[in-house]
C-alpha cells in the first residue's frame, strides 16, 4: 500500500469508522482485472463456469484501520447462492502486543446504513467461510433470496498487529432457481407454575455465533441445570432466533436476544421480539448508544451491560449505565472482574439512596460457549407472576431476583419491621429511621465452609459462618438510619485463608432490600 493510500485510509477511519473498497463485479467474469483496483488491493481474474463465478480480493490494512471495511459486490440477476471465504495473516508480535484478529459478515442490496436494514449475517472470527441462499444459510446468517444489487462483505479488523494485516476474500456466486425461504418458527410462551421463583440463564451462545453447542444441546443442558428459562444471545446476529423450533416446552421458556458486541463493551438485549436485529457498529465516542438502547426497548427487550469489567479486548463497558435496565455483575466462573463489577454496582446503589439516580438490579449469567462451561452457572432467580417474557422482565427490572452458582442453592431474604411490615428482595420496608428492623436470611444447598454477610450503604456490617451442612438461618437487627439498604452474599472461604483481606468466591447474592420511608 502506498503512503497516500495509508493516509486516505487513516483519514476515513477517523471520520467515519468505516472504509469502502472498490467494488467486485462479475459483469465480465472472463476478463482478468474487471473487478477494478482499489487502494492496497489486488484482484485475480476470477473463474467462470456455466453455474458459478468466483473472484478473490487481496489487500493490506495498517494499524489504525477503521473498525469496518466494506467490500462491495455487484450481484447480477439469477444468483441462487452467494458464498464467501476469507483468510488473514497472523504474524508474530512482541510480548504484550495485540496480534491480528479480523471478523466478517455481510449486508445485502438494501445497504449498510446503521440500523441493519440490509443485515444478512455475522460470524465474527468464528468461521472462515459462509454461504447464503433462499433455502438455507450458514449458522449466524439469514436465509433468503439473493437479490440483484450491491451487496457488501464486511471485514472487522478487531486488532491489528504492528506489521499490519494482510487479508484475502473470495466471493463465489452460484446460479440457479431462487428457491423458497422456509417460514421461521419462534419460541412460544411456556406454562409455568403461576407466581413463583423462576431460574434462568440469560447469556448463552451456540453454533449460531462463536459457541460450540447446538441449540438442542443448550436446551438439554438447561433442563439438566434445573432452569425454567433461557435467553439466546448470539454475538451481533439474530439469525439464531429461528433455530429453537420444537425445543421448548411448558417447562422451559426460550427468549430471543442478542449480545451487542461493540468495540467499547458488550450489552445483552434480552427478550427481543423474535427476528429483531440490533446494530453494533458504533463506539462510545459516537454518542449513538442511546438510540440503540431505545430500539431494544421498542422491540420488547431489556438493556443489560454484560461483564462490564471483562478483560478481553473491547469487553470493558464504556457507555455508562444511564440507559441500562439491569447489569450483569457475575459472568461465568467468579473472578476478579466480577468482584470489580459488584463493587461498581454497589456504588450505584449508594448513589441511588442519596438521590443521585435510580438503582440497577444485578444479574448473573453463565456466558457458556462450549463444554465444559456449565449452562446455568451462575443463574438469576426471578420472582414472576408467570413464566412469560413480560412477567420475567418485570421481575428483573424490579430487582425481585437473586443470583446463585447452581439450582442446588435455595435462598430466602427479607426484612421485617413493626406493625407487621415486611419487604422482600427488590422491595422497600417503609419504617421510620429509628424503628427496629430484623433482616433474615434462610439458605440451603451451599455446601460446607461458607459464610454469609450483609452489605449496606456503609459496606459489610455483619458476617457469620454458616453451618457445615450448608443450610441455616441468619438474622441481624438494624435501623434505617444505620443501613439505607441491606443485601446478602454467601461466599466460600478465600483460597489464601483471608491473608489478603479479600472475600472468597461467590456462591449466591441478592439484590437489596431498601429501608426507610423514601
Amino acid at each position: 500500500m502506498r503512503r497516500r493510500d495509508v493516509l486516505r485510509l487513516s483519514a476515513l477511519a477517523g471520520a467515519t469508522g468505516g472504509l469502502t473498497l472498490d467494488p467486485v463485479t462479475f459483469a465480465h467474469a472472463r476478463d482478468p482485472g474487471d473487478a477494478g483496483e482499489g487502494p492496497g488491493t489486488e484482484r485475480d481474474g476470477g473463474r467462470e463456469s456455466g453455474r458459478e463465478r468466483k473472484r478473490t480480493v487481496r489487500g493490506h490494512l495498517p494499524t489504525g484501520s477503521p473498525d469496518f471495511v466494506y467490500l462491495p459486490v455487484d450481484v447480477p440477476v439469477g444468483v441462487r447462492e452467494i458464498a464467501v471465504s476469507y483468510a488473514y495473516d497472523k504474524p508474530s508480535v512482541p510480548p504484550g502486543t495485540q496480534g491480528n484478529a479480523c471478523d466478517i459478515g455481510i449486508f445485502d442490496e438494501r445497504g449498510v446504513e446503521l440500523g441493519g436494514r440490509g443485515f444478512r449475517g455475522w460470524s465474527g472470527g468464528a468461521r472462515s467461510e459462509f454461504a447464503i441462499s433462499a433455502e438455507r444459510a450458514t449458522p449466524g446468517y439469514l436465509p433468503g433470496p439473493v437479490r440483484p444489487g450491491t451487496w457488501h462483505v464486511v471485514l472487522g479488523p478487531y486488532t491489528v498487529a504492528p506489521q499490519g494485516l494482510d487479508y484475502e476474500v473470495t466471493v463465489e456466486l452460484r446460479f440457479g432457481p431462487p428457491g423458497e425461504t422456509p417460514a421461521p418458527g419462534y419460541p412460544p410462551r411456556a406454562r409455568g407454575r403461576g407466581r413463583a421463583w423462576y431460574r434462568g440463564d440469560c447469556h448463552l451462545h451456540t453454533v449460531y455465533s462463536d459457541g460450540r453447542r447446538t441449540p438442542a444441546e443448550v436446551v438439554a443442558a438447561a433442563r439438566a441445570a434445573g432452569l425454567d428459562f433461557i435467553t439466546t444471545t448470539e454475538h451481533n446476529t439474530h439469525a439464531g432466533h429461528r433455530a429453537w423450533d420444537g425445543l421448548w416446552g411448558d417447562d422451559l421458556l426460550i427468549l430471543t436476544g442478542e449480545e451487542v458486541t461493540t468495540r467499547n463493551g458488550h450489552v445483552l438485549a434480552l427478550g427481543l421480539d423474535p427476528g429483531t436485529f440490533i446494530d453494533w457498529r458504533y463506539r462510545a465516542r459516537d454518542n449513538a448508544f442511546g438510540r440503540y438502547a431505545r430500539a431494544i426497548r421498542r422491540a420488547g427487550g431489556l438493556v443489560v451491560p454484560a461483564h462490564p469489567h471483562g478483560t478481553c479486548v473491547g469487553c470493558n463497558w464504556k457507555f455508562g449505565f444511564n440507559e441500562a435496565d439491569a447489569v450483569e455483575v457475575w459472568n461465568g466462573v467468579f473472578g476478579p472482574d466480577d468482584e470489580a463489577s459488584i463493587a461498581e454496582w454497589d456504588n450505584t446503589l449508594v448513589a441511588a439512596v442519596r438521590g443521585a439516580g435510580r438503582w440497577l438490579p444485578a444479574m448473573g449469567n453463565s456466558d457458556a460457549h462450549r463444554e465444559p462451561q456449565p449452562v446455568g452457572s451462575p443463574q438469576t432467580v426471578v420472582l414472576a407472576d408467570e413464566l412469560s417474557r413480560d412477567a420475567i422482565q418485570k421481575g428483573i427490572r424490579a430487582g425481585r431476583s437473586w443470583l446463585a452458582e447452581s439450582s442446588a442453592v435455595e435462598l430466602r431474604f427479607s426484612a421485617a419491621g413493626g406493625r407487621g411490615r415486611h419487604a422482600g428482595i427488590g422491595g422497600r420496608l417503609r419504617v421510620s429511621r429509628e424503628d427496629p428492623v430484623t433482616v433474615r436470611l434462610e439458605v440451603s444447598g451451599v455446601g460446607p465452609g461458607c459464610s454469609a454477610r450483609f452489605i449496606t450503604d456503609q459496606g459489610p456490617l455483619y458476617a457469620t459462618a454458616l453451618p457445615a451442612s450448608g443450610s441455616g438461618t441468619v438474622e441481624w437487627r438494624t435501623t434505617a438510619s444505620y443501613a439505607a439498604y441491606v443485601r446478602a452474599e454467601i461466599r466460600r472461604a478465600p483460597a489464601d485463608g483471608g491473608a489478603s483481606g479479600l472475600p472468597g468466591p461467590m456462591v449466591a447474592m441478592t439484590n437489596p432490600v431498601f429501608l426507610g420511608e423514601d
Side-chain angles (χ1 to χ4, degrees):
M1 179 178 283
R2 292 168 293 184
R3 182 174 182 274
R4 65 173 179 269
D5 293 330
V6 174
L7 293 174
R8 175 181 178 233
L9 188 150
S10 300
L12 286 166
T16 66
L19 170 69
T20 300
L21 302 174
D22 288 344
V24 175
T25 178
F26 290 82
H28 306 288
R30 285 195 179 91
D31 184 10
D34 71 309
E37 294 296 331
T41 64
E42 297 177 1
R43 300 160 189 264
D44 70 9
R47 178 173 60 83
E48 179 178 4
S49 69
R51 300 183 63 82
E52 60 185 45
R53 299 175 184 174
K54 181 183 290 188
R55 281 282 182 269
T56 297
V57 175
R58 300 177 182 88
H60 177 83
L61 297 173
T63 55
S65 294
D67 287 344
F68 303 104
V69 176
Y70 298 93
L71 176 63
V73 178
D74 291 335
V75 176
V77 175
V79 174
R80 174 183 60 85
E81 184 175 57
I82 182 169
V84 178
S85 62
Y86 84 122
Y88 59 92
D89 68 326
K90 298 179 181 179
S92 299
V93 296
T97 303
Q98 295 294 332
N100 284 337
C102 188
D103 298 339
I104 196 167
I106 195 168
F107 285 72
D108 66 20
E109 85 290 346
R110 291 170 293 179
V112 298
E113 290 78 11
L114 282 174
R117 187 166 173 265
F119 177 79
R120 291 297 292 269
W122 184 257
S123 49
R127 286 183 171 80
S128 60
E129 58 186 9
F130 62 86
I132 297 173
S133 69
E135 299 97 334
R136 64 185 65 86
T138 301
Y141 294 80
L142 296 168
V146 182
R147 292 178 289 263
T150 301
W151 289 50
H152 288 82
V153 175
V154 187
L155 296 177
Y158 204 71
T159 56
V160 179
Q163 302 95 315
L165 183 152
D166 293 327
Y167 63 87
E168 177 180 289
V169 179
T170 298
V171 180
E172 182 173 358
L173 303 183
R174 298 162 183 163
F175 292 79
E180 295 185 4
T181 304
Y186 294 129
R189 172 177 169 175
R191 180 175 295 175
R193 305 182 298 276
R195 185 172 176 82
W197 290 95
Y198 293 102
R199 297 174 180 269
D201 189 346
C202 291
H203 191 166
L204 292 164
H205 297 278
T206 73
V207 294
Y208 281 80
S209 61
D210 62 342
R212 293 293 179 267
R213 291 183 174 102
T214 65
E217 289 169 336
V218 167
V219 164
R223 287 191 165 109
L227 300 182
D228 301 296
F229 66 94
I230 59 174
T231 306
T232 169
T233 53
E234 309 295 1
H235 292 282
N236 295 346
T237 181
H238 61 300
H241 288 187
R242 62 180 69 205
W244 304 82
D245 196 8
L247 297 176
W248 52 74
D250 287 339
D251 64 325
L252 185 67
L253 173 68
I254 301 175
L255 302 177
T256 51
E258 180 183 332
E259 183 172 5
V260 183
T261 307
T262 80
R263 300 300 175 85
N264 287 153
H266 303 184
V267 62
L268 303 174
L270 300 183
L272 294 171
D273 293 334
T276 299
F277 168 74
I278 303 297
D279 216 319
W280 74 96
R281 293 172 294 162
Y282 45 85
R283 291 183 180 237
R285 65 192 181 207
D286 299 323
N287 197 29
F289 177 67
R291 168 184 171 187
Y292 294 99
R294 291 189 292 274
I296 291 170
R297 294 195 186 92
R298 283 196 303 272
L302 298 181
V303 179
V304 182
H307 45 66
H309 288 272
T311 56
C312 61
V313 173
C315 284
N316 287 135
W317 182 250
K318 300 184 183 299
F319 293 94
F321 296 99
N322 289 339
E323 296 287 350
D325 296 305
V327 58
E328 185 186 73
V329 301
W330 183 358
N331 176 277
V333 177
F334 193 83
D337 56 324
D338 302 302
E339 204 73 74
S341 295
I342 290 171
E344 181 182 35
W345 167 71
D346 192 78
N347 288 341
T348 68
L349 300 181
V350 174
V353 298
R354 291 174 179 166
R358 61 191 177 88
W359 75 281
L360 288 178
M363 292 190 71
N365 300 299
S366 73
D367 197 4
H369 284 67
R370 59 186 66 83
E371 297 292 348
Q373 298 168 349
V375 172
S377 183
Q379 57 191 247
T380 301
V381 190
V382 183
L383 180 60
D385 290 334
E386 61 183 11
L387 188 55
S388 68
R389 176 176 74 163
D390 288 347
I392 292 294
Q393 288 179 331
K394 285 178 182 177
I396 292 172
R397 192 182 288 111
R400 297 193 301 266
S401 58
W402 53 278
L403 289 53
E405 68 175 5
S406 76
S407 59
V409 179
E410 295 285 352
L411 181 153
R412 292 184 181 180
F413 184 63
S414 62
R419 302 178 185 176
R421 294 187 180 95
H422 178 275
I425 299 170
R428 175 174 290 277
L429 181 65
R430 299 191 179 278
V431 294
S432 65
R433 289 177 54 80
E434 301 304 330
D435 282 350
V437 173
T438 300
V439 180
R440 181 181 175 89
L441 172 67
E442 299 175 52
V443 63
S444 64
V446 300
C450 292
S451 62
R453 63 179 192 163
F454 295 150
I455 317 295
T456 75
D457 52 316
Q458 295 189 68
L461 288 182
Y462 181 74
T464 185
L466 291 171
S469 64
S471 301
T473 300
V474 179
E475 288 190 351
W476 178 60
R477 288 173 175 80
T478 187
T479 63
S481 63
Y482 191 46
Y485 65 83
V486 185
R487 61 180 184 85
E489 292 183 352
I490 298 149
R491 304 239 188 184
R492 288 196 175 83
D496 63 1
S500 65
L502 297 175
M506 192 76 71
V507 178
M509 60 177 283
T510 73
N511 276 298
V513 178
F514 293 92
L515 309 179
E517 297 291 349
D518 301 312

